[in-house]
Amino acid sequence: MKRWLVALLVLGLSALAQEALKVGVVVSATGPAASLGIPERNTFLMLQEMLDRTGGVAGRKVQFVILDDASDTTQAVRNTRRLVEEGVVAIIGTTTTPASLGMIPVVAEAKVPMISLAASKDIIYPVDAQRHWVFKTPQTEELMARAIVADMVARGVKTVAYIGFNDAYGEGWARFFEAEAKAKGLQVVASERYNRTDTSVTGQVLRIIARRPDAVLIGASGTPAVLPQRTLKERAYAGFIYQTHGVANPDFLRVGGKDVEGTLLPAGPILVAEQLPGTFPSKRVALDYIQRYEAKYGIGSYSTFGSHAWDAWLILKPALERALKRADPAKALAAFRAALRDEIEATRNLVATHGVFTFSKEDHLGLRFEDAAVMVRVENGRWKLERTFR
């Protein structure tokens, strides 16, 4: 009898040691940012099916615990606390900048590594005591502002206006864009704000048009970015209209329709993967993701936002494999989380859909400008490659 009890105890401990590695995921699957968060959620659902078929990571099952923050910062923070309590080894998310910023103190206090899917440089810079635990995959507004201004200069733009979200995303874009524009000799003649849920921006647009800028940049994301552009078109504005990489999804084209024809925007190279030169480093990886995503969700359904989620997993998977050699999460979860954080930071020359990632103690984005940004135009309801920066 004693031998049976010992055998059962050993089996029980073995099963406990092989519990699934839980990875927390927070995305904005509903609310104003849903057009960004849905392809992120879909990517993790696709990954879960793939991992279930292939056996997970290093012989360990992986379970994505996916929570929706409804595009709300308070809910994102609440979700983060719940995931920490559930014993996740890492957290990926969330979709928007304000909510990602809200999550940082929670993961820092709990010492859980986090890979954000939002744009702002403020999420990962400076790498202080809190951001020590935080990484991200999307290009920063600073990196993409450099691409926009380079394109404006090439087109002979002299005066520019800005209208963006009245939140951390819009303010970050205003700060980096205006600094880059002024550094390259462009005059910023107007700077306006609006809320993600606003239904009219007529006043802001009239003030912009009165200044007669050569170009206007809309610092917004998702389908709410259509409103200023539609209003500019209704008021017969004839200059260049630029958007940020926050609109690089099919819903922007669908909702914007003819009003977004001719839009210029910087984007991750995956948006126009088939049009990239054969030597572009991320082309093969990007086409692989597109093929997998469209096989599951339909032709033309992929977006750059889902591929940010894919890139997060491309980074996390080898880091998990290395961390499992250093610590056992079933026995010492805190030690494993710390080891995993270190292994994420040790990522070098990892080719993903948006570029090549090389992290360091000072850089938790790790993308090179020439590999991570291209300029795109909306033409006949499709994305057309305008230029690369290689």
Side-chain angles (χ1 to χ4, degrees), residues 139 267-273 275-287 351-356 368-375 385 387-390:
Q139 298 87 340
I270 188 174
L271 189 65
V272 287
Q275 302 172 48
L276 294 171
T279 56
F280 205 93
S282 62
K283 181 170 184 172
R284 182 185 59 81
V285 180
L287 289 174
V351 181
T353 68
H354 281 269
V356 182
R368 298 189 300 254
F369 171 72
E370 61 271 18
D371 296 333
V374 298
M375 284 301 301
L385 176 64
R387 70 183 70 201
T388 69
F389 297 97
R390 289 177 61 81

PDB file of all heavy atoms in Angstrom, residues 139 267-273 275-287 351-356 368-375 385 387-390:
ATOM      1  N   GLN A 139       6.480  49.329 -34.081  1.00  0.00           N
ATOM      2  CA  GLN A 139       7.380  50.465 -34.272  1.00  0.00           C
ATOM      3  C   GLN A 139       6.887  51.660 -33.446  1.00  0.00           C
ATOM      4  O   GLN A 139       5.678  51.880 -33.311  1.00  0.00           O
ATOM      5  CB  GLN A 139       7.417  50.855 -35.752  1.00  0.00           C
ATOM      6  CG  GLN A 139       7.934  49.768 -36.666  1.00  0.00           C
ATOM      7  CD  GLN A 139       6.869  48.803 -37.140  1.00  0.00           C
ATOM      8  OE1 GLN A 139       5.800  48.691 -36.543  1.00  0.00           O
ATOM      9  NE2 GLN A 139       7.139  48.106 -38.235  1.00  0.00           N
ATOM     10  N   ALA A 267       4.381  52.176 -42.541  1.00  0.00           N
ATOM     11  CA  ALA A 267       3.844  50.896 -42.085  1.00  0.00           C
ATOM     12  C   ALA A 267       4.965  49.907 -41.886  1.00  0.00           C
ATOM     13  O   ALA A 267       6.071  50.066 -42.417  1.00  0.00           O
ATOM     14  CB  ALA A 267       2.833  50.350 -43.093  1.00  0.00           C
ATOM     15  N   GLY A 268       4.652  48.863 -41.122  1.00  0.00           N
ATOM     16  CA  GLY A 268       5.564  47.749 -41.073  1.00  0.00           C
ATOM     17  C   GLY A 268       5.592  47.069 -42.427  1.00  0.00           C
ATOM     18  O   GLY A 268       4.596  47.064 -43.158  1.00  0.00           O
ATOM     19  N   PRO A 269       6.720  46.492 -42.823  1.00  0.00           N
ATOM     20  CA  PRO A 269       6.856  45.957 -44.173  1.00  0.00           C
ATOM     21  C   PRO A 269       5.865  44.856 -44.512  1.00  0.00           C
ATOM     22  O   PRO A 269       5.576  44.633 -45.689  1.00  0.00           O
ATOM     23  CB  PRO A 269       8.300  45.450 -44.219  1.00  0.00           C
ATOM     24  CG  PRO A 269       8.723  45.321 -42.788  1.00  0.00           C
ATOM     25  CD  PRO A 269       7.962  46.358 -42.043  1.00  0.00           C
ATOM     26  N   ILE A 270       5.298  44.182 -43.517  1.00  0.00           N
ATOM     27  CA  ILE A 270       4.364  43.100 -43.810  1.00  0.00           C
ATOM     28  C   ILE A 270       3.126  43.598 -44.547  1.00  0.00           C
ATOM     29  O   ILE A 270       2.494  42.849 -45.288  1.00  0.00           O
ATOM     30  CB  ILE A 270       3.938  42.359 -42.520  1.00  0.00           C
ATOM     31  CG1 ILE A 270       3.110  41.112 -42.882  1.00  0.00           C
ATOM     32  CG2 ILE A 270       3.188  43.285 -41.577  1.00  0.00           C
ATOM     33  CD1 ILE A 270       2.774  40.239 -41.697  1.00  0.00           C
ATOM     34  N   LEU A 271       2.776  44.871 -44.388  1.00  0.00           N
ATOM     35  CA  LEU A 271       1.568  45.387 -45.033  1.00  0.00           C
ATOM     36  C   LEU A 271       1.627  45.234 -46.544  1.00  0.00           C
ATOM     37  O   LEU A 271       0.602  45.066 -47.203  1.00  0.00           O
ATOM     38  CB  LEU A 271       1.354  46.861 -44.661  1.00  0.00           C
ATOM     39  CG  LEU A 271       0.016  47.466 -45.080  1.00  0.00           C
ATOM     40  CD1 LEU A 271      -1.139  46.788 -44.350  1.00  0.00           C
ATOM     41  CD2 LEU A 271      -0.009  48.974 -44.828  1.00  0.00           C
ATOM     42  N   VAL A 272       2.820  45.300 -47.105  1.00  0.00           N
ATOM     43  CA  VAL A 272       3.006  45.167 -48.557  1.00  0.00           C
ATOM     44  C   VAL A 272       4.053  44.091 -48.839  1.00  0.00           C
ATOM     45  O   VAL A 272       4.911  44.244 -49.704  1.00  0.00           O
ATOM     46  CB  VAL A 272       3.420  46.517 -49.185  1.00  0.00           C
ATOM     47  CG1 VAL A 272       2.241  47.480 -49.228  1.00  0.00           C
ATOM     48  CG2 VAL A 272       4.589  47.154 -48.407  1.00  0.00           C
ATOM     49  N   ALA A 273       3.964  42.989 -48.121  1.00  0.00           N
ATOM     50  CA  ALA A 273       5.005  41.962 -48.171  1.00  0.00           C
ATOM     51  C   ALA A 273       5.273  41.465 -49.583  1.00  0.00           C
ATOM     52  O   ALA A 273       6.427  41.275 -49.984  1.00  0.00           O
ATOM     53  CB  ALA A 273       4.619  40.788 -47.265  1.00  0.00           C
ATOM     54  N   GLN A 275       5.029  43.000 -52.298  1.00  0.00           N
ATOM     55  CA  GLN A 275       5.646  44.024 -53.140  1.00  0.00           C
ATOM     56  C   GLN A 275       7.091  44.327 -52.751  1.00  0.00           C
ATOM     57  O   GLN A 275       7.768  45.096 -53.430  1.00  0.00           O
ATOM     58  CB  GLN A 275       4.816  45.312 -53.060  1.00  0.00           C
ATOM     59  CG  GLN A 275       3.362  45.153 -53.478  1.00  0.00           C
ATOM     60  CD  GLN A 275       2.542  46.402 -53.195  1.00  0.00           C
ATOM     61  OE1 GLN A 275       2.939  47.519 -53.526  1.00  0.00           O
ATOM     62  NE2 GLN A 275       1.393  46.228 -52.555  1.00  0.00           N
ATOM     63  N   LEU A 276       7.565  43.751 -51.660  1.00  0.00           N
ATOM     64  CA  LEU A 276       8.919  44.021 -51.194  1.00  0.00           C
ATOM     65  C   LEU A 276       9.958  43.363 -52.097  1.00  0.00           C
ATOM     66  O   LEU A 276       9.695  42.314 -52.698  1.00  0.00           O
ATOM     67  CB  LEU A 276       9.101  43.496 -49.765  1.00  0.00           C
ATOM     68  CG  LEU A 276       8.287  44.169 -48.669  1.00  0.00           C
ATOM     69  CD1 LEU A 276       8.427  43.390 -47.367  1.00  0.00           C
ATOM     70  CD2 LEU A 276       8.729  45.621 -48.482  1.00  0.00           C
ATOM     71  N   PRO A 277      11.153  43.952 -52.187  1.00  0.00           N
ATOM     72  CA  PRO A 277      12.238  43.280 -52.915  1.00  0.00           C
ATOM     73  C   PRO A 277      12.537  41.921 -52.292  1.00  0.00           C
ATOM     74  O   PRO A 277      12.346  41.713 -51.086  1.00  0.00           O
ATOM     75  CB  PRO A 277      13.422  44.238 -52.733  1.00  0.00           C
ATOM     76  CG  PRO A 277      12.836  45.541 -52.331  1.00  0.00           C
ATOM     77  CD  PRO A 277      11.562  45.241 -51.607  1.00  0.00           C
ATOM     78  N   GLY A 278      13.005  41.005 -53.092  1.00  0.00           N
ATOM     79  CA  GLY A 278      13.291  39.662 -52.597  1.00  0.00           C
ATOM     80  C   GLY A 278      14.342  39.622 -51.512  1.00  0.00           C
ATOM     81  O   GLY A 278      14.384  38.685 -50.708  1.00  0.00           O
ATOM     82  N   THR A 279      15.209  40.637 -51.471  1.00  0.00           N
ATOM     83  CA  THR A 279      16.284  40.678 -50.470  1.00  0.00           C
ATOM     84  C   THR A 279      15.842  41.293 -49.143  1.00  0.00           C
ATOM     85  O   THR A 279      16.635  41.338 -48.198  1.00  0.00           O
ATOM     86  CB  THR A 279      17.470  41.493 -51.015  1.00  0.00           C
ATOM     87  OG1 THR A 279      17.010  42.806 -51.385  1.00  0.00           O
ATOM     88  CG2 THR A 279      18.074  40.807 -52.236  1.00  0.00           C
ATOM     89  N   PHE A 280      14.597  41.791 -49.062  1.00  0.00           N
ATOM     90  CA  PHE A 280      14.147  42.426 -47.821  1.00  0.00           C
ATOM     91  C   PHE A 280      14.107  41.363 -46.719  1.00  0.00           C
ATOM     92  O   PHE A 280      13.504  40.308 -46.883  1.00  0.00           O
ATOM     93  CB  PHE A 280      12.770  43.047 -48.013  1.00  0.00           C
ATOM     94  CG  PHE A 280      12.492  44.185 -47.075  1.00  0.00           C
ATOM     95  CD1 PHE A 280      12.758  45.489 -47.445  1.00  0.00           C
ATOM     96  CD2 PHE A 280      11.982  43.945 -45.799  1.00  0.00           C
ATOM     97  CE1 PHE A 280      12.528  46.548 -46.581  1.00  0.00           C
ATOM     98  CE2 PHE A 280      11.743  44.992 -44.928  1.00  0.00           C
ATOM     99  CZ  PHE A 280      12.011  46.299 -45.318  1.00  0.00           C
ATOM    100  N   PRO A 281      14.737  41.615 -45.559  1.00  0.00           N
ATOM    101  CA  PRO A 281      14.967  40.543 -44.572  1.00  0.00           C
ATOM    102  C   PRO A 281      13.705  39.884 -44.023  1.00  0.00           C
ATOM    103  O   PRO A 281      13.705  38.687 -43.743  1.00  0.00           O
ATOM    104  CB  PRO A 281      15.768  41.242 -43.463  1.00  0.00           C
ATOM    105  CG  PRO A 281      15.585  42.702 -43.685  1.00  0.00           C
ATOM    106  CD  PRO A 281      15.381  42.875 -45.155  1.00  0.00           C
ATOM    107  N   SER A 282      12.623  40.640 -43.855  1.00  0.00           N
ATOM    108  CA  SER A 282      11.432  40.070 -43.215  1.00  0.00           C
ATOM    109  C   SER A 282      10.414  39.511 -44.201  1.00  0.00           C
ATOM    110  O   SER A 282       9.372  39.002 -43.791  1.00  0.00           O
ATOM    111  CB  SER A 282      10.752  41.136 -42.349  1.00  0.00           C
ATOM    112  OG  SER A 282      10.324  42.227 -43.149  1.00  0.00           O
ATOM    113  N   LYS A 283      10.704  39.558 -45.496  1.00  0.00           N
ATOM    114  CA  LYS A 283       9.696  39.174 -46.493  1.00  0.00           C
ATOM    115  C   LYS A 283       9.222  37.733 -46.321  1.00  0.00           C
ATOM    116  O   LYS A 283       8.019  37.454 -46.316  1.00  0.00           O
ATOM    117  CB  LYS A 283      10.231  39.390 -47.903  1.00  0.00           C
ATOM    118  CG  LYS A 283       9.215  39.035 -48.987  1.00  0.00           C
ATOM    119  CD  LYS A 283       9.659  39.471 -50.372  1.00  0.00           C
ATOM    120  CE  LYS A 283       8.563  39.175 -51.401  1.00  0.00           C
ATOM    121  NZ  LYS A 283       8.872  39.742 -52.730  1.00  0.00           N
ATOM    122  N   ARG A 284      10.143  36.808 -46.172  1.00  0.00           N
ATOM    123  CA  ARG A 284       9.766  35.392 -46.076  1.00  0.00           C
ATOM    124  C   ARG A 284       8.902  35.124 -44.841  1.00  0.00           C
ATOM    125  O   ARG A 284       7.887  34.435 -44.917  1.00  0.00           O
ATOM    126  CB  ARG A 284      11.017  34.517 -46.045  1.00  0.00           C
ATOM    127  CG  ARG A 284      10.711  33.016 -45.987  1.00  0.00           C
ATOM    128  CD  ARG A 284      11.987  32.202 -45.836  1.00  0.00           C
ATOM    129  NE  ARG A 284      12.716  32.555 -44.625  1.00  0.00           N
ATOM    130  CZ  ARG A 284      12.403  32.092 -43.416  1.00  0.00           C
ATOM    131  NH1 ARG A 284      11.357  31.290 -43.252  1.00  0.00           N
ATOM    132  NH2 ARG A 284      13.111  32.446 -42.360  1.00  0.00           N
ATOM    133  N   VAL A 285       9.305  35.682 -43.704  1.00  0.00           N
ATOM    134  CA  VAL A 285       8.559  35.470 -42.461  1.00  0.00           C
ATOM    135  C   VAL A 285       7.175  36.105 -42.563  1.00  0.00           C
ATOM    136  O   VAL A 285       6.177  35.540 -42.107  1.00  0.00           O
ATOM    137  CB  VAL A 285       9.336  36.037 -41.261  1.00  0.00           C
ATOM    138  CG1 VAL A 285       8.568  35.819 -39.968  1.00  0.00           C
ATOM    139  CG2 VAL A 285      10.710  35.388 -41.161  1.00  0.00           C
ATOM    140  N   ALA A 286       7.114  37.286 -43.171  1.00  0.00           N
ATOM    141  CA  ALA A 286       5.838  37.974 -43.321  1.00  0.00           C
ATOM    142  C   ALA A 286       4.876  37.186 -44.213  1.00  0.00           C
ATOM    143  O   ALA A 286       3.694  37.033 -43.892  1.00  0.00           O
ATOM    144  CB  ALA A 286       6.067  39.370 -43.896  1.00  0.00           C
ATOM    145  N   LEU A 287       5.376  36.682 -45.327  1.00  0.00           N
ATOM    146  CA  LEU A 287       4.522  35.913 -46.240  1.00  0.00           C
ATOM    147  C   LEU A 287       4.030  34.628 -45.577  1.00  0.00           C
ATOM    148  O   LEU A 287       2.902  34.184 -45.820  1.00  0.00           O
ATOM    149  CB  LEU A 287       5.267  35.608 -47.526  1.00  0.00           C
ATOM    150  CG  LEU A 287       5.515  36.809 -48.449  1.00  0.00           C
ATOM    151  CD1 LEU A 287       6.397  36.394 -49.625  1.00  0.00           C
ATOM    152  CD2 LEU A 287       4.210  37.409 -48.942  1.00  0.00           C
ATOM    153  N   VAL A 351      14.606  37.559 -36.931  1.00  0.00           N
ATOM    154  CA  VAL A 351      13.860  38.050 -38.085  1.00  0.00           C
ATOM    155  C   VAL A 351      12.384  37.759 -37.881  1.00  0.00           C
ATOM    156  O   VAL A 351      11.981  36.609 -37.694  1.00  0.00           O
ATOM    157  CB  VAL A 351      14.356  37.402 -39.391  1.00  0.00           C
ATOM    158  CG1 VAL A 351      13.583  37.954 -40.583  1.00  0.00           C
ATOM    159  CG2 VAL A 351      15.852  37.638 -39.568  1.00  0.00           C
ATOM    160  N   ALA A 352      11.574  38.809 -37.902  1.00  0.00           N
ATOM    161  CA  ALA A 352      10.140  38.682 -37.689  1.00  0.00           C
ATOM    162  C   ALA A 352       9.397  39.376 -38.828  1.00  0.00           C
ATOM    163  O   ALA A 352      10.002  39.806 -39.816  1.00  0.00           O
ATOM    164  CB  ALA A 352       9.767  39.289 -36.336  1.00  0.00           C
ATOM    165  N   THR A 353       8.097  39.514 -38.712  1.00  0.00           N
ATOM    166  CA  THR A 353       7.307  40.066 -39.816  1.00  0.00           C
ATOM    167  C   THR A 353       7.511  41.563 -39.991  1.00  0.00           C
ATOM    168  O   THR A 353       7.317  42.100 -41.085  1.00  0.00           O
ATOM    169  CB  THR A 353       5.811  39.795 -39.617  1.00  0.00           C
ATOM    170  OG1 THR A 353       5.320  40.553 -38.493  1.00  0.00           O
ATOM    171  CG2 THR A 353       5.529  38.327 -39.396  1.00  0.00           C
ATOM    172  N   HIS A 354       7.884  42.262 -38.918  1.00  0.00           N
ATOM    173  CA  HIS A 354       8.034  43.718 -38.969  1.00  0.00           C
ATOM    174  C   HIS A 354       9.480  44.184 -39.006  1.00  0.00           C
ATOM    175  O   HIS A 354       9.738  45.383 -39.007  1.00  0.00           O
ATOM    176  CB  HIS A 354       7.325  44.367 -37.778  1.00  0.00           C
ATOM    177  CG  HIS A 354       5.849  44.484 -37.954  1.00  0.00           C
ATOM    178  ND1 HIS A 354       5.254  45.594 -38.508  1.00  0.00           N
ATOM    179  CD2 HIS A 354       4.851  43.625 -37.668  1.00  0.00           C
ATOM    180  CE1 HIS A 354       3.941  45.417 -38.542  1.00  0.00           C
ATOM    181  NE2 HIS A 354       3.673  44.232 -38.044  1.00  0.00           N
ATOM    182  N   GLY A 355      10.418  43.269 -39.014  1.00  0.00           N
ATOM    183  CA  GLY A 355      11.806  43.674 -39.028  1.00  0.00           C
ATOM    184  C   GLY A 355      12.670  42.674 -38.288  1.00  0.00           C
ATOM    185  O   GLY A 355      12.273  41.523 -38.060  1.00  0.00           O
ATOM    186  N   VAL A 356      13.847  43.119 -37.890  1.00  0.00           N
ATOM    187  CA  VAL A 356      14.818  42.268 -37.201  1.00  0.00           C
ATOM    188  C   VAL A 356      15.008  42.815 -35.789  1.00  0.00           C
ATOM    189  O   VAL A 356      15.434  43.958 -35.609  1.00  0.00           O
ATOM    190  CB  VAL A 356      16.164  42.242 -37.955  1.00  0.00           C
ATOM    191  CG1 VAL A 356      17.149  41.315 -37.262  1.00  0.00           C
ATOM    192  CG2 VAL A 356      15.948  41.815 -39.410  1.00  0.00           C
ATOM    193  N   ARG A 368      15.545  48.170 -36.331  1.00  0.00           N
ATOM    194  CA  ARG A 368      16.305  49.136 -37.124  1.00  0.00           C
ATOM    195  C   ARG A 368      15.351  49.841 -38.083  1.00  0.00           C
ATOM    196  O   ARG A 368      14.500  49.203 -38.717  1.00  0.00           O
ATOM    197  CB  ARG A 368      17.409  48.436 -37.911  1.00  0.00           C
ATOM    198  CG  ARG A 368      18.455  47.744 -37.071  1.00  0.00           C
ATOM    199  CD  ARG A 368      19.611  47.273 -37.948  1.00  0.00           C
ATOM    200  NE  ARG A 368      19.156  46.328 -38.963  1.00  0.00           N
ATOM    201  CZ  ARG A 368      19.378  45.024 -38.916  1.00  0.00           C
ATOM    202  NH1 ARG A 368      20.029  44.509 -37.889  1.00  0.00           N
ATOM    203  NH2 ARG A 368      18.959  44.238 -39.888  1.00  0.00           N
ATOM    204  N   PHE A 369      15.508  51.150 -38.216  1.00  0.00           N
ATOM    205  CA  PHE A 369      14.626  51.954 -39.062  1.00  0.00           C
ATOM    206  C   PHE A 369      14.528  51.399 -40.479  1.00  0.00           C
ATOM    207  O   PHE A 369      13.442  51.228 -41.027  1.00  0.00           O
ATOM    208  CB  PHE A 369      15.134  53.401 -39.094  1.00  0.00           C
ATOM    209  CG  PHE A 369      14.431  54.277 -40.096  1.00  0.00           C
ATOM    210  CD1 PHE A 369      13.120  54.687 -39.879  1.00  0.00           C
ATOM    211  CD2 PHE A 369      15.080  54.681 -41.248  1.00  0.00           C
ATOM    212  CE1 PHE A 369      12.470  55.492 -40.805  1.00  0.00           C
ATOM    213  CE2 PHE A 369      14.437  55.493 -42.181  1.00  0.00           C
ATOM    214  CZ  PHE A 369      13.131  55.896 -41.957  1.00  0.00           C
ATOM    215  N   GLU A 370      15.665  51.083 -41.074  1.00  0.00           N
ATOM    216  CA  GLU A 370      15.662  50.691 -42.486  1.00  0.00           C
ATOM    217  C   GLU A 370      14.971  49.361 -42.737  1.00  0.00           C
ATOM    218  O   GLU A 370      14.522  49.083 -43.853  1.00  0.00           O
ATOM    219  CB  GLU A 370      17.095  50.637 -43.030  1.00  0.00           C
ATOM    220  CG  GLU A 370      18.007  49.645 -42.337  1.00  0.00           C
ATOM    221  CD  GLU A 370      18.733  50.226 -41.143  1.00  0.00           C
ATOM    222  OE1 GLU A 370      18.295  51.280 -40.631  1.00  0.00           O
ATOM    223  OE2 GLU A 370      19.749  49.640 -40.731  1.00  0.00           O
ATOM    224  N   ASP A 371      14.868  48.515 -41.708  1.00  0.00           N
ATOM    225  CA  ASP A 371      14.203  47.222 -41.852  1.00  0.00           C
ATOM    226  C   ASP A 371      12.747  47.246 -41.411  1.00  0.00           C
ATOM    227  O   ASP A 371      11.978  46.347 -41.760  1.00  0.00           O
ATOM    228  CB  ASP A 371      14.918  46.150 -41.013  1.00  0.00           C
ATOM    229  CG  ASP A 371      16.332  45.879 -41.484  1.00  0.00           C
ATOM    230  OD1 ASP A 371      16.602  46.091 -42.681  1.00  0.00           O
ATOM    231  OD2 ASP A 371      17.161  45.472 -40.653  1.00  0.00           O
ATOM    232  N   ALA A 372      12.361  48.247 -40.622  1.00  0.00           N
ATOM    233  CA  ALA A 372      11.061  48.211 -39.938  1.00  0.00           C
ATOM    234  C   ALA A 372      10.023  49.171 -40.495  1.00  0.00           C
ATOM    235  O   ALA A 372       8.871  49.140 -40.065  1.00  0.00           O
ATOM    236  CB  ALA A 372      11.267  48.506 -38.448  1.00  0.00           C
ATOM    237  N   ALA A 373      10.405  50.046 -41.436  1.00  0.00           N
ATOM    238  CA  ALA A 373       9.463  51.044 -41.944  1.00  0.00           C
ATOM    239  C   ALA A 373       9.503  51.113 -43.463  1.00  0.00           C
ATOM    240  O   ALA A 373      10.575  51.074 -44.065  1.00  0.00           O
ATOM    241  CB  ALA A 373       9.782  52.420 -41.353  1.00  0.00           C
ATOM    242  N   VAL A 374       8.319  51.204 -44.054  1.00  0.00           N
ATOM    243  CA  VAL A 374       8.176  51.502 -45.479  1.00  0.00           C
ATOM    244  C   VAL A 374       7.077  52.553 -45.605  1.00  0.00           C
ATOM    245  O   VAL A 374       6.265  52.739 -44.695  1.00  0.00           O
ATOM    246  CB  VAL A 374       7.806  50.254 -46.302  1.00  0.00           C
ATOM    247  CG1 VAL A 374       8.900  49.205 -46.208  1.00  0.00           C
ATOM    248  CG2 VAL A 374       6.461  49.668 -45.861  1.00  0.00           C
ATOM    249  N   MET A 375       7.047  53.272 -46.712  1.00  0.00           N
ATOM    250  CA  MET A 375       5.964  54.210 -46.979  1.00  0.00           C
ATOM    251  C   MET A 375       4.974  53.577 -47.946  1.00  0.00           C
ATOM    252  O   MET A 375       5.363  52.939 -48.929  1.00  0.00           O
ATOM    253  CB  MET A 375       6.488  55.520 -47.558  1.00  0.00           C
ATOM    254  CG  MET A 375       7.128  56.434 -46.541  1.00  0.00           C
ATOM    255  SD  MET A 375       6.066  56.938 -45.159  1.00  0.00           S
ATOM    256  CE  MET A 375       4.708  57.763 -45.993  1.00  0.00           C
ATOM    257  N   LEU A 385       3.041  49.939 -52.134  1.00  0.00           N
ATOM    258  CA  LEU A 385       4.358  50.350 -51.670  1.00  0.00           C
ATOM    259  C   LEU A 385       4.829  51.582 -52.418  1.00  0.00           C
ATOM    260  O   LEU A 385       4.864  51.597 -53.650  1.00  0.00           O
ATOM    261  CB  LEU A 385       5.355  49.202 -51.866  1.00  0.00           C
ATOM    262  CG  LEU A 385       6.815  49.509 -51.500  1.00  0.00           C
ATOM    263  CD1 LEU A 385       6.965  49.797 -50.011  1.00  0.00           C
ATOM    264  CD2 LEU A 385       7.717  48.334 -51.916  1.00  0.00           C
ATOM    265  N   ARG A 387       7.816  53.521 -51.098  1.00  0.00           N
ATOM    266  CA  ARG A 387       9.281  53.529 -50.983  1.00  0.00           C
ATOM    267  C   ARG A 387       9.726  52.752 -49.767  1.00  0.00           C
ATOM    268  O   ARG A 387       8.991  52.613 -48.784  1.00  0.00           O
ATOM    269  CB  ARG A 387       9.826  54.962 -50.917  1.00  0.00           C
ATOM    270  CG  ARG A 387       9.501  55.708 -49.626  1.00  0.00           C
ATOM    271  CD  ARG A 387      10.002  57.132 -49.681  1.00  0.00           C
ATOM    272  NE  ARG A 387       9.206  57.916 -50.640  1.00  0.00           N
ATOM    273  CZ  ARG A 387       9.642  59.035 -51.198  1.00  0.00           C
ATOM    274  NH1 ARG A 387      10.823  59.513 -50.923  1.00  0.00           N
ATOM    275  NH2 ARG A 387       8.866  59.710 -52.022  1.00  0.00           N
ATOM    276  N   THR A 388      10.936  52.221 -49.842  1.00  0.00           N
ATOM    277  CA  THR A 388      11.592  51.645 -48.679  1.00  0.00           C
ATOM    278  C   THR A 388      12.714  52.599 -48.266  1.00  0.00           C
ATOM    279  O   THR A 388      13.021  53.559 -48.959  1.00  0.00           O
ATOM    280  CB  THR A 388      12.185  50.247 -48.980  1.00  0.00           C
ATOM    281  OG1 THR A 388      13.291  50.401 -49.871  1.00  0.00           O
ATOM    282  CG2 THR A 388      11.133  49.333 -49.609  1.00  0.00           C
ATOM    283  N   PHE A 389      13.344  52.313 -47.151  1.00  0.00           N
ATOM    284  CA  PHE A 389      14.414  53.186 -46.641  1.00  0.00           C
ATOM    285  C   PHE A 389      15.734  52.438 -46.522  1.00  0.00           C
ATOM    286  O   PHE A 389      16.636  52.873 -45.830  1.00  0.00           O
ATOM    287  CB  PHE A 389      13.996  53.773 -45.292  1.00  0.00           C
ATOM    288  CG  PHE A 389      12.783  54.649 -45.380  1.00  0.00           C
ATOM    289  CD1 PHE A 389      11.521  54.141 -45.086  1.00  0.00           C
ATOM    290  CD2 PHE A 389      12.880  55.973 -45.793  1.00  0.00           C
ATOM    291  CE1 PHE A 389      10.391  54.936 -45.180  1.00  0.00           C
ATOM    292  CE2 PHE A 389      11.752  56.774 -45.889  1.00  0.00           C
ATOM    293  CZ  PHE A 389      10.501  56.262 -45.589  1.00  0.00           C
ATOM    294  N   ARG A 390      15.844  51.338 -47.232  1.00  0.00           N
ATOM    295  CA  ARG A 390      17.097  50.555 -47.222  1.00  0.00           C
ATOM    296  C   ARG A 390      18.065  51.089 -48.259  1.00  0.00           C
ATOM    297  O   ARG A 390      17.654  51.556 -49.326  1.00  0.00           O
ATOM    298  CB  ARG A 390      16.802  49.084 -47.499  1.00  0.00           C
ATOM    299  CG  ARG A 390      16.094  48.384 -46.322  1.00  0.00           C
ATOM    300  CD  ARG A 390      15.764  46.954 -46.663  1.00  0.00           C
ATOM    301  NE  ARG A 390      16.959  46.180 -46.947  1.00  0.00           N
ATOM    302  CZ  ARG A 390      17.749  45.650 -46.018  1.00  0.00           C
ATOM    303  NH1 ARG A 390      17.474  45.812 -44.744  1.00  0.00           N
ATOM    304  NH2 ARG A 390      18.816  44.938 -46.347  1.00  0.00           N
TER     305      ARG A 390
END
